[in-house]
Amino acid sequence: MNIQNAQKAVDEWIKNHGVRYFNELTNMAQLTEEVGEVARIISRRYGEQSEKESDKNKDLGEELADVVFVILCLANQTGINLQEAFNKKLDLKTKRDHNRHHNNQKLK
């Protein structure tokens, strides 16, 4: 599924199951919460903090999907074509950063 289709799928889900979108500020708070859950898993599973027994069964993929879902909601409700924005950003990064990363001594 491309990003544009994902935006449509989220919009249909909201219409059929969610009643309406939360307002933008609420969705921003939701996004912050979901990113925090991703950070918690990564810091404990891949970082130096010990992982609590209750966190060991948490699914990082599911938490990342929660982040994507809220981002798609925000894009929909603010009228952003995220596929177009992503393609533009990837093109910009490709042109701007290609030599930068190849020439970065820290990455060798």
Side-chain angles (χ1 to χ4, degrees), residues 60-92:
L60 178 58
E62 184 178 323
E63 298 304 333
L64 288 168
D66 285 341
V67 170
V68 171
F69 186 90
V70 178
I71 288 171
L72 293 170
C73 286
L74 284 165
N76 284 347
Q77 67 193 131
T78 57
I80 294 171
N81 179 329
L82 204 52
Q83 184 72 62
E84 188 177 289
F86 181 80
N87 291 345
K88 184 177 176 181
K89 179 56 70 175
L90 190 58
D91 185 52
L92 175 91

Coordinates of all heavy atoms in Angstrom, one line a residue, residues 60-92:
L60 N 7.2 -3.7 18.7 CA 7.7 -2.4 18.2 C 7.0 -2.1 16.9 O 6.7 -0.9 16.6 CB 9.2 -2.5 17.9 CG 9.9 -1.3 17.3 CD1 9.7 0.0 18.2 CD2 11.4 -1.5 17.2
G61 N 6.8 -3.1 16.0 CA 6.1 -2.8 14.8 C 4.7 -2.2 15.0 O 4.3 -1.3 14.3
E62 N 4.0 -2.8 15.9 CA 2.6 -2.2 16.3 C 2.7 -0.8 16.7 O 1.9 0.0 16.3 CB 2.0 -3.1 17.3 CG 0.6 -2.8 17.7 CD 0.0 -3.7 18.7 OE1 0.3 -4.9 18.7 OE2 -0.8 -3.2 19.5
E63 N 3.7 -0.5 17.5 CA 3.8 0.9 18.0 C 4.2 1.8 16.9 O 3.8 3.0 16.9 CB 4.8 0.9 19.2 CG 4.5 0.1 20.4 CD 3.1 0.5 21.0 OE1 2.6 1.6 20.8 OE2 2.5 -0.4 21.6
L64 N 5.1 1.4 16.0 CA 5.5 2.2 14.9 C 4.2 2.4 14.0 O 4.0 3.5 13.5 CB 6.6 1.6 14.1 CG 8.0 1.6 14.7 CD1 8.9 0.7 14.0 CD2 8.5 3.0 14.8
A65 N 3.4 1.4 13.8 CA 2.2 1.6 13.0 C 1.2 2.6 13.7 O 0.5 3.3 13.0 CB 1.5 0.2 12.9
D66 N 1.2 2.6 15.0 CA 0.4 3.6 15.7 C 0.9 5.0 15.3 O 0.0 5.9 15.1 CB 0.5 3.4 17.2 CG -0.3 2.2 17.7 OD1 -1.2 1.8 17.0 OD2 -0.1 1.8 18.9
V67 N 2.2 5.2 15.3 CA 2.7 6.5 14.9 C 2.3 6.9 13.5 O 1.8 8.0 13.2 CB 4.3 6.5 15.0 CG1 4.9 7.8 14.4 CG2 4.7 6.4 16.5
V68 N 2.4 5.9 12.6 CA 2.0 6.2 11.2 C 0.6 6.5 11.1 O 0.2 7.4 10.4 CB 2.4 4.9 10.3 CG1 1.8 5.1 8.9 CG2 3.9 4.8 10.2
F69 N -0.3 5.8 11.8 CA -1.7 6.0 11.8 C -2.0 7.5 12.2 O -2.8 8.2 11.5 CB -2.4 5.1 12.7 CG -3.9 5.1 12.6 CD1 -4.7 4.4 11.7 CD2 -4.7 6.0 13.5 CE1 -6.0 4.5 11.6 CE2 -6.0 6.1 13.4 CZ -6.7 5.3 12.5
V70 N -1.4 7.9 13.3 CA -1.7 9.3 13.7 C -1.2 10.3 12.7 O -1.8 11.4 12.4 CB -1.2 9.6 15.1 CG1 -1.5 11.0 15.6 CG2 -1.8 8.6 16.1
I71 N 0.0 10.1 12.2 CA 0.6 11.0 11.1 C -0.4 11.0 9.9 O -0.6 12.1 9.4 CB 2.0 10.5 10.7 CG1 3.0 10.8 11.9 CG2 2.4 11.2 9.4 CD1 4.3 10.2 11.7
L72 N -0.9 9.9 9.5 CA -1.9 9.9 8.4 C -3.1 10.7 8.8 O -3.7 11.4 7.9 CB -2.2 8.5 8.0 CG -1.0 7.7 7.4 CD1 -1.4 6.2 7.2 CD2 -0.6 8.3 6.1
C73 N -3.6 10.6 10.0 CA -4.7 11.4 10.5 C -4.4 12.9 10.3 O -5.3 13.6 9.8 CB -5.1 11.0 11.9 SG -5.9 9.4 12.1
L74 N -3.3 13.3 10.8 CA -2.9 14.7 10.8 C -2.8 15.2 9.4 O -3.2 16.3 9.0 CB -1.6 14.9 11.6 CG -1.7 14.9 13.1 CD1 -0.3 14.8 13.7 CD2 -2.4 16.2 13.5
A75 N -2.2 14.4 8.5 CA -2.1 14.8 7.1 C -3.5 14.9 6.5 O -3.8 15.9 5.8 CB -1.3 13.7 6.3
N76 N -4.4 14.0 6.7 CA -5.8 14.0 6.2 C -6.5 15.3 6.7 O -7.1 16.0 5.9 CB -6.6 12.8 6.6 CG -6.2 11.6 5.8 OD1 -5.5 11.7 4.8 ND2 -6.7 10.4 6.3
Q77 N -6.4 15.6 7.9 CA -7.2 16.6 8.5 C -6.6 18.0 8.2 O -7.3 19.0 8.3 CB -7.5 16.5 9.9 CG -6.3 16.5 10.9 CD -6.7 16.0 12.2 OE1 -6.0 15.2 12.8 NE2 -7.8 16.5 12.8
T78 N -5.4 18.1 7.7 CA -4.8 19.3 7.4 C -4.6 19.5 5.9 O -4.0 20.5 5.4 CB -3.4 19.5 8.1 OG1 -2.6 18.4 7.7 CG2 -3.6 19.6 9.6
G79 N -5.2 18.5 5.1 CA -5.2 18.6 3.7 C -3.8 18.4 3.0 O -3.6 18.9 1.9
I80 N -3.0 17.6 3.6 CA -1.7 17.4 3.0 C -1.7 16.0 2.3 O -2.1 15.0 2.8 CB -0.6 17.3 4.2 CG1 -0.5 18.7 4.7 CG2 0.7 16.8 3.6 CD1 0.4 18.8 6.0
N81 N -1.2 16.0 1.1 CA -1.0 14.8 0.3 C 0.4 14.3 0.7 O 1.4 14.8 0.3 CB -1.0 15.1 -1.2 CG -0.8 13.9 -2.0 OD1 -0.1 13.0 -1.6 ND2 -1.4 13.8 -3.2
L82 N 0.4 13.4 1.6 CA 1.6 12.9 2.2 C 2.5 12.2 1.2 O 3.7 12.2 1.3 CB 1.3 12.0 3.5 CG 2.4 11.9 4.5 CD1 2.9 13.3 5.0 CD2 1.9 11.1 5.7
Q83 N 1.9 11.5 0.3 CA 2.7 10.8 -0.8 C 3.5 11.8 -1.6 O 4.7 11.7 -1.8 CB 1.8 10.0 -1.7 CG 2.5 9.3 -2.8 CD 3.2 8.0 -2.2 OE1 2.5 7.2 -1.7 NE2 4.5 8.0 -2.3
E84 N 2.8 12.9 -1.9 CA 3.5 14.0 -2.7 C 4.6 14.7 -1.8 O 5.7 14.9 -2.3 CB 2.5 15.0 -3.1 CG 3.0 16.1 -4.0 CD 1.8 17.0 -4.4 OE1 0.9 16.6 -5.2 OE2 1.8 18.2 -3.9
A85 N 4.3 14.9 -0.6 CA 5.2 15.6 0.3 C 6.4 14.6 0.6 O 7.6 15.1 0.6 CB 4.6 15.9 1.7
F86 N 6.2 13.3 0.7 CA 7.3 12.4 1.0 C 8.2 12.3 -0.3 O 9.4 12.3 -0.1 CB 6.7 11.0 1.3 CG 7.8 10.0 1.6 CD1 8.4 10.0 2.8 CD2 8.2 9.1 0.6 CE1 9.4 9.1 3.1 CE2 9.2 8.2 0.9 CZ 9.8 8.2 2.1
N87 N 7.5 12.2 -1.4 CA 8.3 12.1 -2.7 C 9.2 13.3 -2.9 O 10.4 13.2 -3.2 CB 7.4 11.9 -3.9 CG 6.7 10.6 -3.9 OD1 7.1 9.7 -3.2 ND2 5.7 10.5 -4.7
K88 N 8.7 14.5 -2.6 CA 9.4 15.7 -2.7 C 10.6 15.7 -1.7 O 11.7 16.1 -2.0 CB 8.5 16.9 -2.4 CG 9.1 18.3 -2.6 CD 8.0 19.4 -2.4 CE 8.6 20.7 -2.4 NZ 7.6 21.8 -2.2
K89 N 10.3 15.3 -0.4 CA 11.3 15.3 0.6 C 12.5 14.3 0.3 O 13.7 14.6 0.4 CB 10.7 14.9 2.0 CG 11.7 14.9 3.1 CD 12.5 16.1 3.3 CE 11.7 17.2 3.8 NZ 12.5 18.4 4.1
L90 N 12.1 13.1 -0.3 CA 13.1 12.1 -0.6 C 14.0 12.7 -1.8 O 15.2 12.5 -1.7 CB 12.4 10.8 -1.0 CG 13.3 9.6 -1.2 CD1 14.1 9.3 0.1 CD2 12.5 8.4 -1.6
D91 N 13.4 13.3 -2.7 CA 14.1 13.9 -3.8 C 15.1 15.0 -3.3 O 16.3 15.0 -3.7 CB 13.2 14.5 -4.9 CG 13.9 15.0 -6.1 OD1 14.7 14.3 -6.7 OD2 13.7 16.2 -6.5
L92 N 14.6 15.8 -2.4 CA 15.5 16.9 -1.8 C 16.6 16.3 -1.1 O 17.8 16.7 -1.2 CB 14.6 17.8 -0.9 CG 15.4 18.8 -0.1 CD1 15.5 20.1 -0.9 CD2 14.8 19.0 1.2

